[in-house]
Amino acid sequence: MRLLRRRHHVWDEGRRYRTVPPRLRRALDLRDRHCSFPGCRIAVGWCEAHHITEWEHGGATTLDNLTLLCAKHHHAVHEGGWTIHPQTRANGANS
């Protein structure tokens, strides 16, 4: 694995893999804590990792490009026309 530039983490996979490796999933779980759909609080154990910019559209498997969604909201995003937009954190980083 190569070292990544600022704002990236050593566990980011870039375009190398579509699936989220365990170490990246743990970081995602700690960051998001529950489904990220507004008003939903389904726990991480019932959530799926979702690429904000879809893998097939050039999205990378990085913490900045992933969010947790429960199955209901994951289907809503893929099939129901909902879109996900990164939110800016207080430190200027996207979440």
Side-chain angles (χ1 to χ4, degrees):
M1 184 183 307
R2 64 189 170 89
L3 292 175
L4 301 170
R5 285 179 249 148
R6 195 177 80 151
R7 288 197 47 214
H8 293 281
H9 308 279
V10 293
W11 53 78
D12 287 347
E13 293 295 337
R15 294 278 306 160
R16 189 174 180 184
Y17 299 107
R18 183 188 67 80
T19 57
V20 178
R23 66 189 180 281
L24 183 53
R25 175 58 194 245
R26 284 190 298 274
L28 182 61
D29 290 351
L30 288 170
R31 187 195 69 193
D32 288 1
R33 298 189 195 137
H34 52 76
C35 177
S36 61
F37 199 88
C40 187
R41 295 292 182 251
I42 299 293
V44 296
W46 297 96
C47 290
E48 303 162 351
H50 170 73
H51 287 86
I52 297 168
T53 299
E54 296 294 339
W55 173 261
E56 57 270 13
H57 297 162
T61 304
T62 62
L63 190 58
D64 288 342
N65 190 46
L66 293 169
T67 194
L68 289 178
L69 293 172
C70 67
K72 174 184 173 182
H73 292 121
H74 205 176
H75 288 288
V77 168
H78 283 282
E79 298 168 7
W82 288 90
T83 57
I84 304 279
H85 299 281
Q87 199 175 30
T88 301
R89 296 176 188 238
N91 66 4
N94 288 339
S95 64

